[in-house]
Amino acid sequence: MSRVEDKKIALLRGINVGGHRPVRMLDLKQIALDLGYFNIKTYLQSGNLLFQSDASNAQIEQDLSASLAAHYPFDIPVIVRDAAMWNQVVAENPFKGEDFDHKQLHVCFVQKSVPLQALLNPFKEKFAPDRLGCGNRALYIRYDGVSHRSKLNLQFLEKQLGSKCTARNWRSLLKIQSMLT
């Protein structure tokens, strides 16, 4: 029987976007298998890797990053969460109970542990009507329009937080959560 902390999600940033930085999911599965991970699944082509491992999240980030660097000529930031952390992110959604389009709510995962609320409070009003909420090592961004047109983007967040980030929309978060059971 597997423990919930053995179930992991690795989020790869910036792959397979508009034909740039291509990574085949079959190759990603093989890399994970070579690293000793098991029960490996992917979701979509955007770098969502689900698997089991008894290694720490930090160790997996390090090992997977190194293996990806050996296979690809471009940097691929990796952020790992275990199933318990994933469920916490879903539960902490500051916009739950509100009516919203799941494509307009994105969760931004932050690699380092940083004081999200303190660092981002000064910017909350600057990006209105987009809305920003903070959780535990995750930010919730509710876009008023199309996310790629917002100034509240990953580049801005990484600069303010001093950490690599990657985002997934709410629909993807819930689908990945269902795949963890």
Side-chain angles (χ1 to χ4, degrees):
M1 177 175 248
S2 64
R3 301 174 308 168
V4 71
E5 55 272 4
D6 292 341
K7 294 180 179 182
K8 310 286 184 175
I9 305 96
L11 303 169
L12 284 61
R13 176 167 179 225
I15 65 165
N16 300 331
V17 178
H20 301 286
R21 299 165 37 106
V23 175
R24 290 180 21 177
M25 293 301 101
L26 192 58
D27 296 339
L28 181 57
K29 283 182 176 183
Q30 186 60 53
I31 289 169
L33 190 62
D34 292 345
L35 288 169
Y37 310 153
F38 55 100
N39 292 334
I40 301 164
K41 302 177 211 169
T42 60
Y43 176 64
L44 299 176
Q45 298 294 313
S46 57
N48 303 297
L49 180 68
L50 293 82
F51 57 94
Q52 287 183 259
S53 172
D54 59 0
S56 71
N57 293 353
Q59 186 65 53
I60 293 168
E61 284 178 359
Q62 184 178 354
D63 293 347
L64 191 52
S65 291
S67 189
L68 289 165
H71 285 83
Y72 297 97
F74 43 84
D75 180 46
I76 304 173
V78 177
I79 297 175
V80 176
R81 296 292 185 261
D82 59 46
M85 294 170 86
W86 197 266
N87 290 332
Q88 181 181 5
V89 167
V90 172
E92 287 180 344
N93 176 2
F95 303 111
K96 66 182 165 196
E98 295 181 20
D99 185 30
F100 60 89
D101 180 346
H102 286 193
K103 291 184 279 187
Q104 290 182 302
L105 176 60
H106 290 224
V107 175
C108 178
F109 293 89
V110 182
Q111 193 172 49
K112 292 183 198 172
S113 181
V114 294
L116 297 175
Q117 194 78 40
L119 287 169
L120 294 174
N121 262 344
F123 299 102
K124 280 187 168 183
E125 299 305 315
K126 179 180 179 180
F127 296 103
D130 294 340
R131 295 173 53 202
L132 181 65
C134 294
N136 179 24
R137 291 179 69 183
L139 299 169
Y140 303 81
I141 306 167
R142 202 164 145 203
Y143 293 105
D144 183 60
V146 183
S147 62
H148 68 271
R149 290 193 185 140
S150 175
K151 292 181 181 174
L152 186 54
N153 57 43
L154 290 179
Q155 292 78 14
F156 170 80
L157 293 170
E158 286 181 337
K159 183 178 177 185
Q160 296 306 313
L161 299 172
S163 177
K164 293 290 185 187
C165 303
T166 190
R168 300 296 185 270
N169 70 38
W170 191 248
R171 181 175 298 163
S172 293
L173 236 75
L174 295 179
K175 177 61 178 176
I176 291 169
Q177 183 183 41
S178 74
M179 293 172 70
L180 291 169
T181 57

